[in-house]
Amino acid sequence: RGMGDTSAPLRAGLVASLANLLLDPGLMIWPARLGVTGAAAATGASQVVACCLLLRSLHRQLFSRPPSAAASDPPAAAAIPGAAAAPNAAKLVVLTALASYGVKYGELL
């Protein structure tokens, strides 16, 4: 299930595309003249930018209280912020590690 936020991924994708569009000519053609290596570096850099934007958005969603709740004290039995997302984050880390292992060493089974 999603968090209900579709604008943050859209903005991150747009910024990553714009960063890639600006970095590709600079690293491929002029002034760096790296060719395909420059294109790969530009794509990697733009993906890092998108990842940082998405992590910032996720951090804001998980660890910030709504404006109405920020003015009042939280109840004594309040849940830990982001606790509901922790199992999904753990699954994501495990699946990413398995995918990296599979790419590096071949099939898992």
Side-chain angles (χ1 to χ4, degrees):
R1 297 180 208 185
M3 299 279 291
D5 181 19
T6 58
S7 63
L10 179 67
R11 285 191 309 261
L14 179 65
V15 169
S17 296
L18 290 174
N20 198 14
L21 182 70
L22 294 174
L23 289 173
D24 264 343
L27 293 176
M28 282 179 59
I29 303 166
W30 182 85
R33 295 184 178 160
L34 294 175
V36 175
T37 305
T43 301
S46 65
Q47 293 301 312
V48 167
V49 168
C51 181
C52 290
L53 290 173
L54 289 171
L55 286 174
R56 188 180 98 194
S57 173
L58 184 63
H59 184 269
R60 284 182 178 176
Q61 286 179 0
L62 292 178
F63 297 112
S64 65
R65 290 188 263 167
S68 61
S72 65
D73 291 331
I80 298 171
N88 290 335
K91 290 176 192 174
L92 179 64
V93 169
V94 169
L95 289 175
T96 303
L98 288 174
S100 298
Y101 181 86
V103 167
K104 187 172 183 179
Y105 298 109
E107 294 184 23
L108 296 175
L109 301 175

